[in-house]
Amino acid sequence: MPAAVTEERNRLDRAALLDAAETLFYAHGIQAVGMDRVREASGLPLKRIYRLFATKEDLVVAMLRHRDRRWRADLTAHVESVRDPRARVLAVFDWLAAWFAEPGFRGCAWINVHGELGSSSEPVLAEVRAHKRAFHDQLAAWVGATGAPVAEPVFLLAEGAIVTAAVTGDPAPARHARAAVETLLGCAPASPA
Amino acid sequence: MPAAVTEERNRLDRAALLDAAETLFYAHGIQAVGMDRVREASGLPLKRIYRLFATKEDLVVAMLRHRDRRWRADLTAHVESVRDPRARVLAVFDWLAAWFAEPGFRGCAWINVHGELGSSSEPVLAEVRAHKRAFHDQLAAWVGATGAPVAEPVFLLAEGAIVTAAVTGDPAPARHARAAVETLLGCAPASPA
DNA sequence: TGACGTTGAGAACGGACGTTCTCTATCGTA
DNA sequence: TACGATAGAGAACGTCCGTTCTCAACGTCA
């Protein structure tokens, strides 16, 4: 069998596996989902799964990276379809509002996994921090383009809206955060610490 | 044995058990801590534990309620030692900053447990929502006393600061949130949606 | 065609979990 | 002192987990 064909098959199986793992782990948490359910959902034999990822921890890390790429690409596509810098920042919160209203929304996958596993897995913790830093830096760049020095509070409002929408099951926090961001962008306060 | 003595013993054992459970569950998560570790840490025989709480889920719910009482009482004591309404709201974020800097800080116990168990346990979910609503309402009362209609964003900034401090391990979000709250309290915007 | 490396399907393994049971010791009461 | 209910210590039970192993089927190349 040509190596190129094997490679292509691995690529497709990896994608199917990561999609199945993401759906299950996001919906139920990591420890509540056994590898057998991942096998069942992905349609891949357990042996192949373990050849693609040596341990469940490896699969979790890869799943988080997979989700990170898609999540940030979707957000960026939505936000950067807008031209005006202030409107861009507000568009972040419109995107959040739409996300919160999706069926099956269960908050931030990275915050959830951090709450569940804590610091018991160094690679997972690193992945969580990498995602949050990437989101923070991206948001800070969009806020920076408006000239208002309010990147930190805008980030905190986004994070607060995500966890609050998750816990309450109500998408309203996106509206509240958006209104506050409008105020902050318009206030031009002395630069914060 | 007089009933009163038995009652008193149960009360003391319950308190020791809830303290031990809180420490373990907060540090490592719910599913990662077996009942045997709770027994070891509390010094109580397994049989007595199961007479006080019929299932692990019952223990988790009671532990969350126990922590809720202490957490909100500590916060309230700190905040209400201040007189000026605006200073009271800012004192919330000073208290958060001190909490974030404590050794062993691992974020909000209720958000963590929600992320871990999701909606797989109805009683736990209810306890999480009850805590968040109580904190929200308390904070809204303090913000309301300043006359500024910014209860929602102040709450979201607090939540965002808690999760961000937990994930990054850095207490700085408390300062950033505090600075933003000062701005919001001073801005007097048109009342938000 | 025939030998062989690799695969798929699922059983098997070792351990951990929540919960219950056994057995002995203890204590209050007569 | 003798007895019955209760408590403590920990073994035991049934289940589930992550991971590995077995074994039959298959496709590939001499």
Side-chain angles (χ1 to χ4, degrees), chain B residues 60-144:
Chain B
V60 169
V61 169
M63 174 276 283
L64 289 176
R65 204 172 316 224
H66 178 71
R67 185 178 175 92
D68 172 70
R69 265 200 289 273
R70 194 171 38 69
W71 191 89
R72 289 196 293 117
D74 284 0
L75 171 63
T76 300
H78 177 84
V79 168
E80 301 199 340
S81 72
V82 175
R83 281 250 149 271
D84 177 60
R86 283 177 43 116
R88 274 194 174 174
V89 174
L90 296 176
V92 171
F93 293 85
D94 296 333
W95 185 83
L96 287 179
W99 179 34
F100 297 170
E102 279 176 18
F105 170 73
R106 221 178 71 76
C108 171
W110 296 270
I111 290 173
N112 290 350
V113 89
H114 178 267
E116 177 171 357
L117 302 181
S119 40
S120 78
S121 164
E122 203 54 55
V124 169
L125 181 60
E127 202 56 38
V128 170
R129 288 185 167 157
H131 165 78
K132 282 301 173 198
R133 181 162 41 244
F135 173 48
H136 172 277
D137 291 353
Q138 177 72 262
L139 190 52
W142 289 327
V143 173

Side-chain angles (χ1 to χ4, degrees), chain A residues 106 115 118 129 153 156 160 167 180 187, chain B residues 106 112 115 118 129 153 156 160 167 187:
Chain A
R106 219 177 71 76
R129 288 184 167 158
L156 295 180
V167 166
C187 247
Chain B
R106 221 178 71 76
N112 290 350
R129 288 185 167 157
L156 295 181
V167 166
C187 245

Side-chain angles (χ1 to χ4, degrees), chain A residues 30-129:
Chain A
I30 308 298
Q31 316 199 63
V33 174
M35 292 298 281
D36 235 54
R37 276 186 64 200
V38 174
R39 176 192 57 81
E40 176 182 88
S42 68
L44 262 44
L46 219 39
K47 204 167 188 176
R48 173 169 283 278
I49 294 178
Y50 276 94
R51 199 156 337 109
L52 292 168
F53 301 100
T55 65
K56 187 184 189 183
E57 186 182 52
D58 288 354
L59 175 60
V60 169
V61 169
M63 174 277 281
L64 289 176
R65 204 173 316 225
H66 178 72
R67 185 178 175 92
D68 172 71
R69 266 199 288 274
R70 193 173 37 69
W71 191 89
R72 289 195 295 117
D74 283 1
L75 171 63
T76 299
H78 177 84
V79 169
E80 301 200 341
S81 73
V82 175
R83 281 249 151 272
D84 177 61
R86 282 176 46 115
R88 274 195 174 174
V89 174
L90 296 175
V92 171
F93 293 84
D94 295 333
W95 186 82
L96 287 179
W99 180 34
F100 297 170
E102 279 176 18
F105 170 74
R106 219 177 71 76
C108 170
W110 296 269
I111 290 173
N112 291 349
V113 89
H114 177 266
E116 176 171 357
L117 302 182
S119 40
S120 79
S121 165
E122 201 55 55
V124 169
L125 181 59
E127 203 54 40
V128 171
R129 288 184 167 158

Side-chain angles (χ1 to χ4, degrees), chain B residues 14-31:
Chain B
R14 263 183 73 106
L17 179 53
L18 290 174
D19 283 342
E22 183 187 344
T23 302
L24 286 171
F25 288 145
Y26 180 68
H28 305 106
I30 308 299
Q31 316 199 65

